[in-house]
Amino acid sequence: MSRWSFVGRTDELSRLLAAVHDEQGHGLFFSGSAGVGKSRLLREGVAALPTDRYALSFVAASTATAALPFGGLAPVLPAEQPPGLSPAGVLRWGVEVLQEQAAGRRIVLAIDDAHLLDPPSAALVHLLARAENTTVLGTLRSGEQIPLPIRALWTDDLVTHAELAPLGPGETAGLLAALLAGPVDSVSAERLFRLCAGNPLLLRELVLAATTGGEMVRTYGLWRWTGRLELAPSLTDLIDTRIGRLAPGVRAVVELVAFGEPLGLRLLDRAADPADVEVAEERGLITVVPDDRRVDVRLAHPLYGEVIRRRCPVSRTRRLQAQLAERVELAGARRRGDLLRVAVWRLDSGTAQDPGLLLQAAVQAFTRYDVPLATRLARAALDADGGYDAAELLATILMFGDRPTEAIGVLDAVAGDIACEHRRSRWLTVRGMVSYWGLSEQSTVDTIAVAGQALTDPGHQARVRAFEAIMRLHGLDVDTALRLGRSVLDRPAASVAARELARCTIAHVDAVQGRFRASATAIDRVQAEAANWRADMPYLQLAMELARGTRLALCGDLAGIDAIVADEFADQAGAGDFRLGTGYLSILQAYAARLRGRGDDALKASLGACAVLATSRVFAGLAHAERAQAALLRGDVATAVTAMAEADRTQAPGMAVLRPWLEQARGAVLAAGGDLTGATRQLCELADRLRADGFAGHEALVLHDLVRLGQATAAVGPTCTDGNRRTVAQRLAELCETVDGVLAPLLARHARAAAERDGAALLEVADGFAKLDLTVWAVDATATALHGWRRNRSASAAAAHERLAALLTRCDEIRTPALDALRPTLSDRELEIAGFAAAGVTSRAIASRLFLSHRTVENHLQRVYSKLGITSRAELGAALRAIPGHGGGPAG
């Protein structure tokens, strides 16, 4: 693990430094809980101050010095005091000593843990704060007794007092990356943030324990926490110190909450002495939280529960869990989630005897996408003689836990228990799902089709047909998929789950064919019926998200992608280890970040998807293709080539519907590697295949990739009646007639403007892309316009430079073929001179600095003007800012 870097706290550090620089104020004190980062913040602030302007003194008070007169300030005072001074005289002497040591500089006295100062030291600090040339900084631990002279500092308005809040999620993720010397996947970062509650010290101890125990795993350069929590002795001791010694009654309260949270306050008052509940709350061990019309009790910190549960003897643990189950059952188990909680308590306490309860709880856990818990409950239900229903559910959950072989074994073991068409239809669909997507057996779709025809009940047959339809779609047999999907919708006997699964298939086809409005309407209908299909078919959510994500990506709706990535399903999938859901949403997140020009975010999200999907092939190929695209945006061709090879290796045969995205990435990799001819051929062939399949929505994006490569006039499609083939620009114009939305016309305008080399039209297109937040495409359109104007030394180049520079400020440092074509071949000397000139340095001053002649500087500038397509210094700053990675100022 790397050194504990100082991360975040930008505002707090600025506030600390401002308190020193503002000579009207006298200081700032931060209060906060132990480990929240007060001491580190204070040290960083003091370290940032120049010693030539400030006389810096840093002291750390402690319990060891609290009983010694002036013990807290011993490091900054002389070892011996002048004899015979009164207490007041000693204080004046201390002030004079520090003034002499300052030698005319402003005094900055920083006191860490100022609540531990001895009384004389506290009095001296108060007296110093009243001096004109002194600033006092300090930290205090929340909840501790504070010496009166220190408290008087802010009550007398001598210093400002502020509470140092815990780190936020973003700062915690940054600290994690610093601790591990590499990025951490978002799900792991969120889980660790919740456990440490934003406390840096607790976070460090958690990470240290996880890395020591091998629970932090690095995959594709991204750290991922496996989820098993290990508590290092140092962390346990720290939590023990916070909890302190507990009376038996108070311990009973804390233990009940540890095993039952969130626990209703009424239930807790009946299970324990209300007086003990009050003591636990007063000591900050539990917290009472209103929840609508109810009042819940939780532990004050997530790690308290981990320590309490591990320290509780097994026999008492089982007794407490059984007690909680009994009390909730007696109360009627009316609250949402009570059934699941009771089942877990019964299972953990060894009192689970009802397979029906366990089965219902497993269904509920799966509807919440908690795969590990659902697996455990379903297996317990099967072991408790839950029969076929438990086996079917367990096999389904195992499929989504990346254990398809085990799932097949569970299903085959109960094949002899299938005595009716209802079970037969469900067994066929679950086994078909496992073998097709889990084991990549493409022949499954034909097997399920034949078996489904043998069913006589229309409702059961509809279920099998719905599964066959989505398998046909994923195998690119689109016509059959549509026919089957529509036939399911035409059957009144079809279950809600079967109908909505079929509707997802149709919505997906509508999306790739460019019928975005129809696709959105269908997806909204599926979502509206969620309450009626979730218990029967929770995984239908994936089919819905794939259809919805495909539509949003193809129509360029990045705000829509943001919305589903932030939806409740994303949180549930991450918390419940529902990897297919988490992985796919991360791919969408990477896609949106990439089109916005946020290459770092795109690469991190795509790496997260690759790591999560490492054991599943359903979306793995797509994840690696997106990783390749993100790497290209950052200019890392080698990583993109490697990622593309991984995409080909991991692409599932049964997910051919995702193949166009991989082929788009392949074209981008070829172009970035210098093979423009190969990239053009690759994308033209892909466009032709998509046209033949009727995938107009996707075809438009592929044709636009060709436009961005400067191939707007390339020939695509079959030969027309006039004996010629359509150009990319012409084909995009045709697609405007069939593809919904605002994006297709914008793509067509881009192609036409590029083909006609119409700079003004290209800038209008760039404005359109920018309004949709498609920043990379806006950059490319602007760069294309500027390339032509530079070549012609047009006066329009100046404004285009300004616009391109503004667009690039919205991005990370990015690379695209259009930008590469625009990038001037300026030598290091030319860049250096141009930077000085753009900053307003005269040619004579530049010549003097660089030991050159005035004529040499002017000659360099003229060459720079020629290469940038500008005519004067006035245009130079914007032209340099329009070069990715160049700020427009002097290099030094």
Side-chain angles (χ1 to χ4, degrees), residues 709-723:
L709 292 178
Q711 303 299 312
T713 58
V716 291
T719 303
C720 302
T721 54
D722 59 4

Side-chain angles (χ1 to χ4, degrees), residues 4 9 35-37 167 175 179 196 198-205:
W4 190 348
R9 302 295 195 198
V36 78
L167 294 177
L175 181 54
L179 289 171
C196 75
N199 186 293
L201 179 60
L202 295 180
L203 179 67
R204 180 178 172 83
E205 293 295 334

Side-chain angles (χ1 to χ4, degrees), residues 190-213:
E190 174 62 25
R191 294 171 72 183
L192 286 165
F193 166 71
R194 287 199 301 266
L195 271 176
C196 75
N199 186 293
L201 179 60
L202 295 180
L203 179 67
R204 180 178 172 83
E205 293 295 334
L206 282 170
V207 173
L208 180 62
T211 51
T212 302

